[in-house]
Structures are given as C-alpha cells and as structure tokens.
Amino acid sequence: LDDDAPEDGEEMDAVFAEMGATKPVLTDETGRFHISGLRAGEYTVIAEGDRGGSRGRAEGVRPDARVNIRLEPLAGVEGVVKAQGSPVERYNIDVAGKSKRSTQVHDPLGAYRLTRLDPGKYEIHVEADIGIAQAEFEVRAGEIAKLDLSLQALARLRGIVVDQATGKGIGGLAIAVAGPRGQANAANAMSVLFGRGPTTDARGRFELDRVPPGSGTVTFVDRDGFAQSMSVATVDYELEPGSERDLGTITGIATSAIPAEERGDLGLTLTLAPWAERPRPTDAAEDDERVPADAARERL
C-alpha cells in the first residue's frame, strides 16, 4: 500500500474509517502483507506502489484468504480549459470512471493535470463561474492523455410553481438543478440542504441564472415538508448554451398548509452510546436479545 502514508495512527484510523476502509499496511521486502481484524464478508484489496505510480486490486476477497495482486502502471490526463479562445484561470474539475479524481484549478494558463488514474474509460466535467464543459476519454497504462476543453456558457430559467389543488403560488421552495450528467451541482445541493440556495418567492416565481446547458431537471423542494417525499414538483428542461427560457406554470403538490414559521418540532434527538446504554423505554422489560460481540463500541 502507499509508502507515503502519514505516520499518525489515530489520524489515519479516522480518515480510513470515514472512507469505509482499513488503515493501510506496508508490504515487506518480498512483497508480502498481512491485514488483520477483519469482520466476516467480502472485501476489495487495493495495493499501490512506485510512490503512487502503479496500482492493483483483488475483489471478492474473504478473510483468511491468500491473494496475489499484480501492479499496473497508472495513467493520467492533462490539458487546457478555455472559454471563447481564452484560458480559464479558475475552475473545478471532476473525473469519474474506474478511479475518481477532483480538484480546484488556479492557473493563469488554464492548464490542469490529473494523475493516478486506473487505465480505462472516463467522464470529465469542468465547472467555472462562466460555464461548464464535459467529455469522455480513455487512457492506457502508463499514458498521460491530452484533452483540451472549451466551456459552454451557462443558461437562464424562470417560471412559477403553483399548488395543483388551489392554483396558488407556492413560496419558499428550495430549487435543485441536475444538469446533463443527471447529477446535481455540489454547491447547489449543499445550498438546498442548508437553506442558502435559490428559492421561489412569495408568489411561487423563480429565476435561475446559472443553469447547465443541455438536458436537465429542476426539482422544487419543501425542506420542512411533512410528506414522505419533500419534492413538490419536478420539471425537465432543454437549453442551448447562453440561452434563456420561461418554463411557464409548473404544478405541484404542497407538502403542508402550515406556514414554515408556525411549524413545530417533534423533539428528535441523537445519542451516542454502547449497547448496554442504548436508549430504551423506561418501563422496558429485560429481554434475551443476543448481545453483539462489539457491545462496547458506541453507536449513533
């Protein structure tokens, strides 16, 4: 595994636990390794060598198995991002395929370089303040592919959301946009989650000025709704780069007739505790439920 992994055990344990993986171990001088403390089940074992220049994996591995992993040279992609022929200095870039890479680029020449990719096919997505770009590419082992990209200008949308039952506009709905890849913009998704993104006004009207061109979906969400689904309405769109479109009247089903400022709180709480101290009704009788092997571990 990675020769350059930090030495701080507690810090690395937390990092890899968050990713759902174990802390890396090092191979010895003969290339052998041993990973202990695994629960029953199947695992994917990933090895990296040559200071991140090669990688190999074995899937469907069960505890107590012996596996041979063959390292293969990794690949990469590099290029320049431009808009109307001029370099774009700041943008976010994501690559998805057999490996996933993402980074923020600050470069006066608009140049990027992503390495440590497994050989195979990938999708690349670039997003900047002035537009987006996306493409597909394929890389072979040990290869650095060349891929220049040109941004497409963002588009604009407007419209009104009304209640299907009353015909009245629904105000205060959070708006989430999923672009051509069927994925929501990360910043937009977080804004919807924390209530900082675009919303419909008191009459249910909205205007969006940073919409990815192409085919996509706009979803209107009541973050405080009482229904099983918080989605009030969804509409598809098709936009040319730099264009503007009025979606007209969009009908939806309001999730609550109670104004947001008048809604209450059921008092849900979260507790971190071991098995013996797990929250239970105060009058609960003792049961013969089997105590788990890791009963001392705290659970949420």
Side-chain angles (χ1 to χ4, degrees):
L1 293 165
D2 193 349
D3 291 342
D4 299 322
E7 296 286 339
D8 188 334
E10 291 186 2
E11 179 181 348
M12 288 306 300
D13 284 344
V15 170
F16 284 96
E18 184 175 342
M19 296 191 304
T22 64
K23 181 182 176 181
V25 298
L26 297 177
T27 55
D28 64 18
E29 63 276 6
T30 66
R32 297 182 182 277
F33 66 91
H34 180 257
I35 300 174
S36 60
L38 299 178
R39 298 182 182 182
E42 292 190 348
Y43 292 83
T44 297
V45 183
I46 302 172
E48 288 198 4
D50 304 326
R51 295 188 175 275
S54 62
R55 181 183 298 129
R57 69 177 63 211
E59 299 183 354
V61 178
R62 292 185 173 277
D64 298 329
R66 283 182 172 272
V67 295
N68 293 323
I69 301 176
R70 182 182 297 276
L71 296 178
E72 293 186 359
L74 294 179
V77 61
E78 65 181 14
V80 175
V81 176
K82 295 183 177 181
Q84 297 181 341
S86 299
V88 179
E89 295 188 15
R90 292 174 177 264
Y91 54 87
N92 296 325
I93 187 166
D94 294 281
V95 170
K98 293 185 68 176
S99 306
K100 291 185 178 181
R101 291 287 182 272
S102 62
T103 189
Q104 293 181 329
V105 176
H106 295 172
D107 187 273
L109 301 179
Y112 72 90
R113 181 182 175 92
L114 293 172
T115 58
R116 300 181 67 190
L117 299 178
D118 289 295
K121 296 182 178 180
Y122 289 87
E123 290 185 355
I124 187 169
H125 181 80
V126 174
E127 183 170 326
D129 289 339
I130 58 175
I132 65 170
Q134 55 192 24
E136 295 180 351
F137 68 95
E138 185 173 1
V139 286
R140 294 185 291 270
E143 174 187 74
I144 300 294
K146 304 290 185 180
L147 182 62
D148 294 338
L149 298 161
S150 296
L151 294 185
Q152 292 183 317
L154 297 173
R156 297 172 61 90
L157 283 176
R158 62 180 181 273
I160 181 173
V161 183
V162 302
D163 184 6
Q164 180 176 302
T166 65
K168 295 182 179 180
I170 307 176
L173 298 177
I175 305 173
V177 178
R181 296 190 305 162
Q183 298 175 350
N185 171 281
N188 179 229
M190 294 300 292
S191 295
V192 170
L193 181 63
F194 292 106
R196 295 191 295 264
T199 60
T200 57
D201 65 16
R203 297 179 297 170
R205 298 187 179 276
F206 65 91
E207 289 191 8
L208 305 174
D209 59 2
R210 292 183 49 78
V211 182
S215 302
T217 302
V218 184
T219 302
F220 301 88
V221 177
D222 181 355
R223 295 176 57 251
D224 298 315
F226 295 119
Q228 291 183 351
S229 172
M230 296 187 296
S231 175
V232 172
T234 301
V235 62
D236 296 329
Y237 71 80
E238 183 80 31
L239 289 169
E240 294 295 326
S243 64
E244 184 172 340
R245 181 181 172 189
D246 189 340
L247 293 175
T249 300
I250 302 164
T251 58
I253 301 176
T255 58
S256 176
I258 303 173
E261 63 273 11
E262 298 178 12
R263 298 174 188 173
D265 186 347
L266 293 179
L268 176 69
T269 61
L270 298 176
T271 302
L272 191 66
W275 179 261
E277 299 175 14
R278 66 192 188 282
R280 305 179 69 206
T282 55
D283 58 348
E286 290 296 326
D287 55 40
D288 57 356
E289 187 174 355
R290 188 161 62 94
V291 177
D294 58 348
R297 180 173 66 87
E298 290 189 322
R299 294 169 166 78
L300 187 64

